[in-house]
Amino acid sequence: MELIKTVAEMAALGHGWRAANKKVGIVPTMGYLHEGHLELAKTSVANNEITVMTIFVNPIQFGPNEDLDCYPRDLAGDLAKAESVGVDYVFAPQPADMYPKTYSCSIDITGVSETLCGQSRPGHFQGVCAVITKLFNLVQPTNAYFGQKDGQQLAVIKHLAADFNMPVKINGVPIVREADGLAKSSRNVYLDEECRKQALVLSQSLQVAKRLYDEGQRDASMIKAAVRAHIETAPLAEIEYVEIVDALTMQPVGKLEDEVMLALAVRFKTTRLIDNILLGGEA
Ligand code: AMP
């Protein structure tokens, strides 16, 4: 496995692969890798000739009061984990190389990025779209892998790639969870023992929703009320949103007809966690 640290080196490799018709998979991450990230990498390794994992804590997708400065980092540990699942290249650039002083573009996707996290994290998806566009241009991937854990991000990137005719297939990978159900996340390290215990209400509440759905409930407000009630059994949980949205457009629905995503964002003290479940799809 090779570590690429500069934009120039990455561009030279990526454009070489495109010219040679190589099948290249990209796995964009912010590092501090866990099994969720590694599942994405394994899927890429199994389906491409070359896999590039990117590790970059993208400053422009963080708001002024968010956790950019304390976001967990461990490049040495990440390199060992990436190598263990067969990643060929890790691209870990410096912020000043990605965003030189001359950088001035912003990508604004309406609709799909305006609900859920788009409301509580203004500018977040503009930052995500910018970094992903840059990474796609540098790596020139055939396939890109994103986790369903960040379901709205996956929907936004699908729109980005389609709207700008990017020659890359966007692949979603199911959520990887801890044995007790908590969705794996780099931010789980922020949770103290009590918060970690109470955070189980998130995955449990998704199962409450699934049970209701399986029993035939199709009224979004009934399902959301049951989910809220379950989350509120945890005294430390502060709900930011519980919403049911169309799985493609991310717009709220009143009745569950086509595939929907039940999405939630909940704070435990200073830690903000998200989770979701898809209901009504073919799978
Ligand atoms: P992050 O480093 O948090 O930006 O995540 C990088 C990628 O890994 C994103 O596409 C996430 O959706 C994905 N990811 C993070 N956690 C999980 C998980 N528990 N299961 C599946 N994918 C995940």
Side-chain angles (χ1 to χ4, degrees):
M1 192 181 76
E2 206 175 314
L3 171 62
I4 310 296
K5 290 182 171 169
T6 69
V7 163
E9 273 176 286
M10 191 66 254
L13 279 169
H15 287 269
W17 295 329
R18 177 70 71 180
N21 246 327
K22 293 281 186 202
K23 198 172 175 190
V24 178
I26 186 171
V27 181
T29 82
M30 298 202 298
Y32 210 70
L33 301 180
H34 52 66
E35 279 139 58
H37 298 116
L38 297 182
E39 195 56 36
L40 268 58
K42 286 183 206 165
T43 310
S44 175
V45 168
N47 291 287
N48 296 278
E49 292 169 83
I50 297 167
T51 289
V52 181
M53 175 177 267
T54 69
I55 297 181
F56 181 59
V57 182
N58 178 34
I60 70 167
Q61 73 185 62
F62 286 77
N65 299 316
E66 294 185 353
D67 56 345
L68 173 63
D69 293 336
C70 63
Y71 196 84
R73 292 164 165 88
D74 175 20
L75 185 60
D78 287 349
L79 294 176
K81 287 176 191 166
E83 186 158 32
S84 77
V85 293
V87 167
D88 301 290
Y89 295 86
V90 167
F91 175 46
Q94 292 302 312
D97 197 11
M98 288 291 274
Y99 301 109
K101 289 207 169 70
T102 49
Y103 183 85
S104 54
C105 280
S106 166
I107 300 177
D108 209 350
I109 296 201
T110 53
V112 67
S113 73
E114 289 176 325
T115 55
L116 310 177
C117 294
Q119 287 197 339
S120 41
R121 304 187 70 187
H124 171 68
F125 287 117
Q126 282 100 322
V128 169
C129 287
V131 79
I132 294 301
T133 301
K134 287 170 74 74
L135 293 172
F136 285 0
N137 283 337
L138 293 168
V139 174
Q140 297 283 308
T142 322
N143 284 296
Y145 298 87
F146 293 90
Q148 178 59 38
K149 161 79 176 17
D150 300 272
Q152 187 178 18
Q153 171 174 275
L154 175 58
V156 167
I157 303 291
K158 281 183 176 167
H159 278 78
L160 174 76
D163 285 359
F164 288 139
N165 309 101
M166 295 176 172
V168 53
K169 179 164 186 263
I170 309 300
N171 301 275
V173 176
I175 301 176
V176 177
R177 297 180 179 280
E178 302 286 354
D180 61 9
L182 182 69
K184 289 191 185 257
S185 164
S186 306
R187 291 188 168 101
N188 289 348
V189 294
Y190 299 150
L191 297 168
D192 65 26
E193 203 182 327
E194 190 50 38
C195 288
R196 172 68 183 78
K197 228 187 275 171
Q198 293 193 21
L200 282 187
V201 293
L202 302 193
S203 54
Q204 288 167 355
S205 74
L206 298 176
Q207 290 308 312
V208 168
K210 181 165 166 32
R211 236 179 353 258
L212 288 171
Y213 182 86
D214 289 345
E215 287 164 11
Q217 181 58 262
R218 295 291 182 271
D219 184 305
S221 55
M222 297 288 287
I223 296 177
K224 286 191 284 188
V227 168
R228 276 184 174 272
H230 186 82
I231 295 172
E232 282 163 0
T233 62
L236 292 170
E238 277 175 66
I239 297 176
E240 188 181 285
Y241 65 72
V242 170
E243 195 51 89
I244 300 180
V245 296
D246 179 272
L248 295 176
T249 65
M250 298 287 118
Q251 299 308 302
V253 300
K255 283 257 167 279
L256 283 68
E257 286 161 350
D258 301 320
E259 187 177 37
V260 298
M261 181 172 84
L262 165 56
L264 40 91
V266 177
R267 271 178 205 286
F268 290 87
K269 295 184 180 165
T270 54
T271 306
R272 178 180 181 277
L273 299 179
I274 57 172
D275 203 346
N276 71 79
I277 188 170
L278 294 170
L279 297 171
E282 280 161 24

